Amino acid sequence: MKFYDIELDRTDCTVIHQEVVDAVREKMPDDDLLLDLADCFKLFSDSTRLKILYALMEAEMCVCDISVLLGMTKSSVSHQLRVLKQSNLVKYRKAGRVIYYSLADDHVRTICRMGMEHVREDEIEN
Amino acid sequence: MKFYDIELDRTDCTVIHQEVVDAVREKMPDDDLLLDLADCFKLFSDSTRLKILYALMEAEMCVCDISVLLGMTKSSVSHQLRVLKQSNLVKYRKAGRVIYYSLADDHVRTICRMGMEHVREDEIEN
DNA sequence: CAAATAGTTGAACAATCATTCAACTGTTCA
DNA sequence: TGAACAGTTGAATGATTGTTCAACTATTTG
């Protein structure tokens, strides 16, 4: 029997452990869920956003306050607040022309604390 | 007294709450630490890396196994494994020309679980 | 030794994304 | 009413980053 020149699979592998692959595949979370999870972590993966979140852990603040605290333009702060707002990490209340932002719930604290523990441990190790 | 045309501060704000800003500034973690934290979360912010990590939660796997499981090239898997290795999230052992990867410790599980809780709650809300 | 295969590596490319800039809305207040 | 200011928005820009491609190393095996 002749082997035709079929299109190569993206994985030019002789699978080493088919049983392992099959077993793991069954346990894998859905792709959609993993995409959502990645998006969630992406929110915490920028230091400007982290600064904003850590600031809001301490107090409700308006955009100007945050701008001055971080030494950044109102525009750039506002752009990031929009991202955090859309993901329900922060909420806001309007008072005249001033808009006060605060944390939406305690998830932010929990997630930041978790990551911080990992970072600090690495510091000790190295 | 004349106002000279000095360079504008990046924050064209009348600070609304100087006391709040000062109090928060005192509590803020160091910039370096926040950068490290952001880098830590960045590792979890890509769905390919998450897939690899979730796979390794189930079993030790070689690069070919992971490639087949994810339907990706060995090259792209290898690139991501390098990132995870450099950050001490995965470790490896060599057996002939096969290299087996596994999780370095339990941090990955803890951090993923934490994020997953947040994602699932959002699912219920919306 | 030579062929085959596991895995790595660096450059190139495309997509993503944070910041900037300028223009804009909306509210206060004189 | 109009000036001043808080905040938002969209387009442009530059940096970062995930994937691809091709070439490479290293190990096994016939």
Side-chain angles (χ1 to χ4, degrees):
Chain A
M1 191 205 220
K2 188 182 180 310
F3 279 122
Y4 294 97
D5 239 20
I6 58 168
E7 197 178 14
L8 271 180
D9 197 290
R10 294 165 53 77
T11 56
D12 54 343
C13 295
T14 300
V15 182
I16 307 289
H17 311 89
Q18 186 66 54
E19 346 76 51
V20 173
V21 172
D22 290 342
V24 169
R25 195 190 302 279
E26 222 170 81
K27 296 261 195 167
M28 287 290 282
D30 285 347
D31 270 30
D32 293 352
L33 190 55
L34 289 176
L35 278 171
D36 287 347
L37 186 56
D39 284 341
C40 167
F41 284 123
K42 207 167 292 178
L43 292 169
F44 296 86
S45 73
D46 174 74
S47 72
T48 297
R49 280 194 294 275
L50 278 184
K51 285 177 193 174
I52 294 176
L53 293 173
Y54 268 88
L56 296 183
M57 285 184 202
E58 298 301 325
E60 178 187 67
M61 295 178 94
C62 66
V63 178
C64 272
D65 289 345
I66 300 173
S67 296
V68 171
L69 175 69
L70 304 186
M72 303 181 71
T73 60
K74 283 186 297 182
S75 172
S76 125
V77 170
S78 179
H79 275 299
Q80 296 299 353
L81 282 171
R82 188 168 58 89
V83 174
L84 298 174
K85 194 167 49 183
Q86 281 172 346
S87 310
N88 297 316
L89 259 53
V90 304
K91 60 181 196 286
Y92 65 97
R93 95 184 147 82
K94 230 177 143 181
R97 61 186 161 179
V98 180
I99 299 180
Y100 293 95
Y101 283 88
S102 55
L103 293 188
D105 57 43
D106 266 357
H107 273 103
V108 171
R109 278 176 233 269
T110 320
I111 293 177
C112 283
R113 192 181 313 123
M114 195 87 335
M116 199 59 104
E117 275 175 31
H118 185 245
V119 170
R120 287 194 196 277
E121 281 195 22
D122 274 1
E123 272 179 357
I124 295 164
E125 283 167 18
N126 304 333
Chain B
M1 190 202 220
K2 187 182 181 310
F3 279 123
Y4 293 98
D5 238 19
I6 58 169
E7 196 179 14
L8 271 180
D9 198 289
R10 294 166 53 78
T11 55
D12 53 342
C13 296
T14 300
V15 182
I16 307 290
H17 311 88
Q18 187 66 52
E19 344 77 51
V20 173
V21 173
D22 291 341
V24 169
R25 193 190 303 279
E26 223 171 81
K27 296 260 195 168
M28 286 292 281
D30 285 347
D31 270 31
D32 293 352
L33 191 55
L34 289 177
L35 278 170
D36 287 347
L37 186 57
D39 284 342
C40 168
F41 284 124
K42 208 169 293 179
L43 293 169
F44 297 87
S45 73
D46 175 71
S47 71
T48 297
R49 281 194 294 275
L50 278 183
K51 285 177 193 174
I52 295 176
L53 292 173
Y54 268 88
L56 296 183
M57 284 186 203
E58 298 301 325
E60 178 187 66
M61 296 178 93
C62 66
V63 178
C64 273
D65 290 345
I66 301 174
S67 297
V68 171
L69 175 69
L70 304 187
M72 303 181 70
T73 61
K74 282 185 298 181
S75 172
S76 123
V77 170
S78 179
H79 276 299
Q80 296 299 355
L81 282 170
R82 188 169 57 89
V83 174
L84 298 173
K85 193 167 50 182
Q86 281 173 345
S87 310
N88 297 315
L89 259 50
V90 304
K91 60 183 195 287
Y92 64 97
R93 94 184 147 83
K94 231 177 141 181
R97 60 185 160 179
V98 179
I99 299 180
Y100 294 94
Y101 283 88
S102 56
L103 293 187
D105 57 42
D106 267 355
H107 273 103
V108 171
R109 278 176 234 269
T110 319
I111 292 177
C112 282
R113 190 180 316 123
M114 195 89 333
M116 199 60 104
E117 276 175 30
H118 185 245
V119 170
R120 288 196 196 278
E121 283 196 21
D122 274 1
E123 273 178 357
I124 296 165
E125 283 169 18
N126 305 333

